[in-house]
Amino acid sequence: MAASLVSFEETNPRAVINSPRSLQACKQEGVLPQELIYKPIEAFQEKNLSPRLVKLRYDFFEAKRRDLLAASRRARDGILADERRERESGAGQLDVLSRDSGLTRGAVLALQSDGLKQERQKLLRAQENERNWLKAALNNELNQLKLLETNNQALSEAARSDQEKQLEKARLMKELNDRRQQDEERKAMEAEARQRLEKQIAKEEFHRQQEELRKKQELEAQKQKEAYERQLKEMERKRQAEVEKAEKKEAMFREQEARRAEMRAQDLKRQDIMEQQKQSFQQTMAERKEARDVRIYQSIQTNMELEQRRREEFDERQRQDQLREERLLQARALEQEESAKRSFQTMMRRRVIQEEAARRSEERRLQILEQQEETEMRLLDHEQKKERYLDFKRELDGLRGKNKEINVERQRRREEAGREMVAEQVRKKDEKIDALNQERKRLWQIRRQAQSEAYRARELVKNEIMRQRITSRYDSKLLESKLNSLMQHDLFTPKVLQTSTSLPLLHSSMQASNASQVPVDPL
């Protein structure tokens, strides 16, 4: 018997959960069925594990199991609610239809969709329009054939009268062409005479142009001769200008030499003046140097006198310092004698203090030893408590890590289940879309076939009419009988939609499902 999340024994370690809805709920929540089975406290006991830690592990895993069980039961309740909604909304009939018809659920939904109904209605409307168009076109062709048949006789009678008119018209045209030929010959002779006259005029014009060209050449030669004479005069004028320019340069050179001689005289005069200034400057500098040497000698004498006075003052200070040092040495000797007396007294007092300190230190040592023993006992107790605390903390951290691993694994399984669910939904939608596209394609194929058949029928009628025109034997009754036979084709009637293998099967399956629908036991 299948055990669900509600009916299995929670306290039985050997219980098994195997109902389909429970397994689906576990998969949605990312829970393994064996994780929901109860584990007794004995399953967590280990060799070196304290009872406290065993109880901690048991409490942790039991609480985790109960949380997972509650989540799985909520998921199972959601699945049951979805199934109830589907049964109430009639979605269960789709499963029966798909099972009876051999089609998928998506295909059944697609074939029963409003879109396909609209497509079928569009096809029927298009079929009716195509039928009306074909009927109108063929009737038009038939009416034209009848009109041709009635007009054929009138045309044959009119042809004879037209032939006579054509003969008369041809005779008149011949006379007109003869007159035109005579006019063209006359015009050709006039054109030939005009050409001879034009040639004579062109020859006279050529001789006149040659004469004008000769006169122009003579005039050009005269102009060139005059230009050559002007060039000679210009060259003579330039040569005279160059001679005058050379004379001017010679005069300028003489003036420049005179200015140079004057400048040399001025330079000699300036050099004499500079020599006199140099001698006076040297004499002034010698006088200044002598005065400076006198000042330096006087300064040296003054410095020597100051140095002598400073040396005497320094000797006096040294003598006074020596006297002060002697007095200090005497006072220091007296102080050393007094300090020796005080140090002896201090030494005696220190010895007494040392003996007293030794006695007190011994007492202090014994007291410290007692305190150390007591402290060691306390530390030992603290270490034991610390070790127990660390064990508990390590176990708690391990359980936290285990909880994290369980949650991560559960989340991974939940995401995997979600992806599978999405993939299943996508697959169903793809099946529905494929079925819908196939049915639409079939309907469009029917429409194209209907159009092709309509054009083919019209071409047949046209060919028949053309054949009758060629043979000039018009038979409207034969064409009308052929037109009626073409209009009885299945593509121009609503029964073309009954050729689908899916719709009748679905109709019968829906009737059977309505008769045999029974409630399902939720597990």
Side-chain angles (χ1 to χ4, degrees):
M1 181 179 178
S4 65
L5 291 171
V6 179
S7 61
F8 85 104
E9 297 181 9
E10 293 190 25
T11 58
N12 186 8
R14 297 182 179 180
V16 178
I17 300 173
N18 54 6
S19 70
R21 293 183 183 84
S22 298
L23 294 177
Q24 184 180 358
C26 292
K27 187 176 181 180
Q28 287 182 2
E29 291 297 323
V31 179
L32 297 176
Q34 55 268 26
E35 292 179 353
L36 303 177
I37 305 302
Y38 173 75
K39 290 183 181 180
I41 193 171
E42 291 81 7
F44 300 98
Q45 290 181 353
E46 294 182 4
K47 184 176 180 181
N48 296 324
L49 198 63
S50 64
R52 182 185 178 189
L53 298 182
V54 172
K55 184 66 168 60
L56 179 63
R57 287 187 182 181
Y58 169 75
D59 293 340
F60 168 76
F61 283 102
E62 181 63 18
K64 190 68 177 177
R65 184 187 72 84
R66 291 183 181 277
D67 292 341
L68 297 178
L69 182 60
S72 301
R73 284 176 176 173
R74 286 195 298 270
R76 180 179 177 276
D77 293 338
I79 293 172
L80 290 174
D82 293 339
E83 290 181 356
R84 282 195 296 270
R85 282 196 299 271
E86 288 180 357
R87 285 198 300 272
E88 291 174 359
S89 62
Q93 295 180 1
L94 294 177
D95 297 332
V96 179
L97 285 174
S98 63
R99 185 171 60 253
D100 295 340
S101 61
L103 299 174
T104 60
R105 187 174 179 180
V108 174
L109 288 173
L111 293 174
Q112 291 182 351
S113 63
D114 295 335
L116 278 183
K117 290 180 182 178
Q118 293 178 359
E119 291 290 338
R120 295 189 189 99
Q121 292 175 2
K122 287 181 182 179
L123 177 61
L124 292 176
R125 288 196 298 270
Q127 189 183 56
E128 183 65 23
N129 293 332
E130 195 71 28
R131 188 170 179 275
N132 293 332
W133 173 82
L134 180 61
K135 188 175 181 180
L138 296 181
N139 287 329
N140 187 21
E141 296 291 341
L142 181 61
N143 293 330
Q144 288 181 1
L145 181 62
K146 289 180 179 179
L147 183 61
L148 288 173
E149 189 177 4
T150 55
N151 293 334
N152 187 24
Q153 297 177 357
L155 289 174
S156 61
E157 293 177 358
R160 287 192 297 272
S161 61
D162 290 340
Q163 187 176 6
E164 294 176 357
K165 291 179 181 179
Q166 289 291 336
L167 292 174
E168 181 65 22
K169 189 175 181 181
R171 186 181 61 78
L172 295 174
M173 183 62 69
K174 183 178 180 182
E175 293 177 356
L176 180 61
N177 290 333
D178 292 339
R179 287 195 299 272
R180 286 179 179 175
Q181 186 175 5
Q182 292 176 1
D183 293 339
E184 288 177 357
E185 290 177 356
R186 181 177 55 77
K187 289 179 180 179
M189 293 175 66
E190 291 177 356
E192 186 177 358
R194 191 181 300 110
Q195 288 179 358
R196 287 196 298 271
L197 180 61
E198 289 177 355
K199 287 180 180 180
Q200 183 66 27
I201 293 171
K203 186 175 181 181
E204 293 176 357
E205 182 68 20
F206 176 73
H207 289 302
R208 186 179 61 79
Q209 290 178 356
Q210 290 292 329
E211 184 66 23
E212 290 179 356
L213 182 61
R214 185 180 60 77
K215 291 179 179 180
K216 286 181 180 180
Q217 290 177 354
E218 292 177 355
L219 183 61
E220 187 68 24
Q222 183 67 25
K223 289 181 179 179
Q224 289 180 357
K225 184 177 179 181
E226 292 176 357
Y228 177 71
E229 292 176 355
R230 285 196 300 272
Q231 288 179 359
L232 291 176
K233 292 179 180 179
E234 183 68 20
M235 289 174 64
E236 182 66 22
R237 186 183 61 78
K238 288 182 179 179
R239 187 178 61 78
Q240 186 67 27
E242 289 178 356
V243 171
E244 293 176 356
K245 187 176 181 181
E247 292 177 354
K248 288 181 180 180
K249 285 184 178 180
E250 184 67 24
M252 289 175 66
F253 178 74
R254 288 194 297 270
E255 291 177 359
Q256 190 174 6
E257 287 294 329
R259 284 197 298 272
R260 285 179 181 176
E262 185 178 357
M263 289 173 66
R264 282 196 293 271
Q266 290 178 358
D267 288 339
L268 291 174
K269 185 177 180 180
R270 186 170 56 254
Q271 288 177 2
D272 293 338
I273 293 170
M274 289 178 66
E275 186 67 25
Q276 293 175 3
Q277 290 177 355
K278 183 178 180 181
Q279 291 176 1
S280 62
F281 177 73
Q282 288 177 356
Q283 185 177 0
T284 305
M285 290 299 295
E287 292 176 356
R288 289 181 180 178
K289 184 177 180 182
E290 185 177 356
R292 186 185 62 185
D293 292 340
V294 172
R295 287 196 303 273
I296 290 171
Y297 178 75
Q298 292 176 357
S299 177
I300 290 171
Q301 292 294 328
T302 305
N303 290 333
M304 290 177 66
E305 292 176 358
L306 289 173
E307 185 67 25
Q308 184 65 28
R309 285 198 299 271
R310 288 176 182 173
R311 186 177 290 110
E312 291 175 356
E313 291 175 358
F314 177 74
D315 292 339
E316 182 65 22
R317 284 197 300 271
Q318 288 291 329
R319 187 178 61 79
Q320 292 178 1
D321 290 340
Q322 187 175 3
L323 293 175
R324 187 169 58 254
E325 287 291 332
E326 290 177 356
R327 289 195 299 271
L328 288 174
L329 288 174
Q330 292 176 2
R332 192 173 297 164
L334 293 174
E335 288 179 0
Q336 287 178 356
E337 186 177 355
E338 291 293 331
S339 64
K341 292 179 182 180
R342 286 194 299 272
S343 63
F344 179 74
Q345 294 174 359
T346 303
M347 183 182 66
M348 296 303 292
R349 284 196 298 271
R350 285 179 179 175
R351 184 174 296 176
V352 174
I353 292 170
Q354 286 178 357
E355 292 176 356
E356 183 67 21
R359 184 181 62 79
R360 291 181 179 179
S361 63
E362 183 65 21
E363 293 177 356
R364 179 66 178 168
R365 186 179 66 81
L366 295 175
Q367 187 178 1
I368 289 171
L369 289 174
E370 293 176 358
Q371 290 179 356
Q372 285 180 352
E373 292 178 358
E374 185 179 358
T375 304
E376 287 177 358
M377 293 298 294
R378 290 179 180 176
L379 287 174
L380 182 60
D381 188 17
H382 177 71
E383 287 294 331
Q384 292 176 356
K385 291 181 180 179
K386 182 179 178 181
E387 188 67 27
R388 289 195 299 272
Y389 170 74
L390 291 176
D391 291 339
F392 180 80
K393 186 177 180 181
R394 281 194 295 270
E395 184 66 23
L396 190 60
D397 292 340
L399 292 177
R400 287 175 181 171
K402 184 67 175 177
N403 184 33
K404 186 176 181 180
E405 292 177 1
I406 292 172
N407 291 334
V408 170
E409 186 66 21
R410 180 189 174 194
Q411 183 64 25
R412 185 188 64 78
R413 288 195 291 265
R414 288 179 67 181
E415 291 176 356
E416 185 68 25
R419 285 194 292 270
E420 291 179 359
M421 187 180 298
V422 171
E424 182 66 20
Q425 292 176 358
V426 170
R427 185 185 62 78
K428 290 180 180 179
K429 288 183 179 180
D430 290 340
E431 290 178 356
K432 181 178 178 181
I433 292 170
D434 292 339
L436 187 62
N437 290 332
Q438 289 178 1
E439 187 65 19
R440 284 181 176 175
K441 187 176 180 181
R442 188 184 70 83
L443 295 177
W444 277 106
Q445 188 68 26
I446 291 172
R447 289 183 66 175
R448 285 194 292 269
Q449 290 176 0
Q451 291 177 356
S452 301
E453 185 63 26
Y455 284 114
R456 190 183 68 82
R458 188 174 180 183
E459 290 298 324
L460 288 175
V461 173
K462 285 184 177 181
N463 292 333
E464 180 64 24
I465 293 173
M466 184 60 66
R467 186 185 64 79
Q468 292 182 9
R469 283 183 178 179
I470 292 171
T471 58
S472 298
R473 295 177 181 177
Y474 299 101
D475 190 355
S476 59
K477 293 182 179 180
L478 177 62
L479 185 63
E480 189 173 0
S481 62
K482 183 176 289 189
L483 189 149
N484 292 329
S485 64
L486 290 173
M487 293 300 296
Q488 297 299 322
H489 197 278
D490 291 343
L491 292 174
F492 303 125
T493 59
K495 65 180 181 179
V496 68
L497 295 177
Q498 298 178 2
T499 58
S500 174
T501 58
S502 59
L503 293 177
L505 187 59
L506 286 178
H507 184 67
S508 61
S509 299
M510 288 178 65
Q511 293 178 354
S513 64
N514 291 329
S516 61
Q517 186 175 4
V518 294
V520 182
D521 183 19
L523 290 179

